[in-house]
Amino acid sequence: MLFLVIFNNLIEEFLTDIQIKKRLSKNTIITYKNTLKQFGKWFRTIDNKEFIPQNITSDHISAFKQHLIKLNRANKTINKMLVIISIYLNWAVDKKLIKYNPAINIKGIKQEKELPRWLNHQELTALLNTLVRESNTRNKLIIMLILFAGLQVRELVELKKSDVQVTENKMYLNLSGRRIPVYKTLEWTLRKYLDGVDKKTIYLLSSSRSDQLSVRAIQHVITEYGDKARIDNLTAITLRHTFGYKLGLTGTDPYSIAALMGYATTDNLPNI
């Protein structure tokens, strides 16, 4: 019980501080919390000490890294978890709970750089044909908001109906830091969806169980459409890259593409 109280208090304090400081999304905070819970659960299996920053050593973190490797976790996932642990321990240093961060010298696993992939002509045609046949307007809209507006999954989750701006001749999506024009192909589907959606809901995408779709639900829809169109491993990233690639083919300059897709430098300029 003592472990649970200390663990929860420290983790919740950390998550509150980091969310305010970095303005992280709700889903990112959940990822942080789950990572630290997994680390804490494993820590208890190999050490009788309390799971607090003062008792965490570099040997613990190295061993946890090996534990994740044995579980066949993806290299990208392992590296992400190590970064989160290090951020937590840096916070503990700032709070003067510990003198130094024991994760500072723990190296991540080397990852092969993945080249951007977009849908080829045959794949895009198959997906568009699938969209034409689809009767579920919400699921169809999920795919189209990524394919024709370049939205990220986390942006879909947080997108509110009030973010959709309708003018006399045009429709826009107002996201934090950028304004995306809604092209005709997407506009028709979006208008049809808005006409039939519950007026009381705040978020654009919802379900019968929740007023706000989860990341997992959206990823499931993308996988389902990939299966229907017979496209292997269809992901949101592939759909986003297709959006950017098609813009490039129309002659749109790289800075405009970067701005529309939300790629920005630390000083908030388009990052090509």
Side-chain angles (χ1 to χ4, degrees):
M1 181 62 70
L2 178 61
F3 164 80
L4 291 175
V5 171
I6 293 176
F7 175 78
N8 288 334
N9 285 347
L10 281 178
I11 298 301
E12 294 301 332
E13 183 181 351
F14 161 70
L15 294 175
T16 300
D17 286 353
I18 203 75
Q19 186 172 31
I20 294 172
K21 183 178 180 181
K22 294 192 174 184
R23 297 182 180 179
L24 301 178
S25 69
K26 182 171 67 175
N27 290 301
T28 300
I29 291 297
I30 290 173
T31 301
Y32 274 49
K33 188 171 187 175
N34 289 339
T35 294
L36 294 172
K37 279 191 172 183
Q38 287 181 56
F39 184 33
K41 184 178 180 180
W42 171 85
F43 183 92
R44 285 192 296 167
T45 65
I46 57 97
D47 205 316
N48 290 325
K49 297 178 181 177
E50 296 170 358
F51 182 65
I52 53 176
Q54 295 92 323
N55 291 333
I56 299 173
T57 67
S58 58
D59 288 340
H60 287 127
I61 301 167
S62 293
F64 183 59
K65 172 183 168 182
Q66 294 303 316
H67 167 71
L68 295 174
I69 291 173
K70 289 180 181 178
L71 291 177
N72 292 320
R73 296 287 181 87
N75 291 353
K76 184 178 180 180
T77 299
I78 295 173
N79 290 342
K80 187 175 183 178
M81 294 177 77
L82 292 175
V83 168
I84 291 172
I85 291 169
S86 184
I87 291 173
Y88 172 57
L89 293 172
N90 272 336
W91 172 83
V93 172
D94 291 340
K95 289 289 183 178
K96 302 190 185 311
L97 298 174
I98 53 178
K99 292 182 178 180
Y100 72 97
N101 180 355
I104 199 70
N105 293 319
I106 305 298
K107 295 181 179 179
I109 302 172
K110 187 176 181 180
Q111 295 177 226
E112 293 294 330
K113 188 174 182 180
E114 296 181 7
L115 294 175
R117 178 183 179 272
W118 48 80
L119 298 177
N120 59 36
H121 177 71
Q122 291 78 12
E123 291 172 326
L124 183 56
T125 299
L127 182 59
L128 292 177
N129 287 338
T130 301
L131 291 175
V132 170
R133 296 190 298 267
E134 182 57 52
S135 59
N136 188 317
T137 308
R138 187 205 65 184
N139 288 354
K140 182 177 181 177
L141 182 61
I142 288 172
I143 300 296
M144 295 183 73
L145 283 168
I146 307 175
L147 185 61
F148 295 112
L151 269 63
Q152 300 177 46
V153 171
R154 65 174 178 80
E155 292 174 329
L156 284 178
V157 170
E158 299 296 333
L159 190 64
K160 297 179 176 65
K161 288 189 294 187
S162 58
D163 294 327
V164 181
Q165 179 187 358
V166 182
T167 65
E168 196 171 316
N169 300 314
K170 196 69 180 172
M171 180 181 282
Y172 296 92
L173 298 177
N174 291 316
L175 305 177
S176 56
R178 70 190 200 274
R179 190 177 189 227
I180 303 174
V182 176
Y183 301 107
K184 289 296 182 182
T185 308
L186 172 59
E187 182 179 342
W188 185 85
T189 302
L190 185 50
R191 285 182 183 276
K192 182 179 178 181
Y193 176 79
L194 287 171
D195 287 342
V197 76
D198 187 348
K199 306 299 181 185
K200 296 179 181 179
T201 57
I202 296 175
Y203 294 97
L204 181 67
L205 300 171
S206 59
S207 69
S208 57
R209 296 182 179 180
S210 173
D211 290 339
Q212 183 181 23
L213 278 190
S214 66
V215 168
R216 181 175 294 182
I218 291 174
Q219 290 171 336
H220 176 75
V221 170
I222 296 170
T223 300
E224 180 183 344
Y225 271 75
D227 292 341
K228 288 181 178 180
R230 297 184 179 180
I231 301 172
D232 293 332
N233 302 317
L234 182 63
T235 65
I237 294 176
T238 301
L239 293 173
R240 265 172 56 81
H241 284 162
T242 304
F243 169 75
Y245 174 66
K246 289 297 182 181
L247 282 177
L249 291 181
T250 65
T252 306
D253 67 274
Y255 285 96
S256 296
I257 295 173
L260 285 171
M261 295 184 70
Y263 292 127
T265 60
T266 53
D267 50 0
N268 211 30
L269 294 174
N271 184 1
I272 64 171

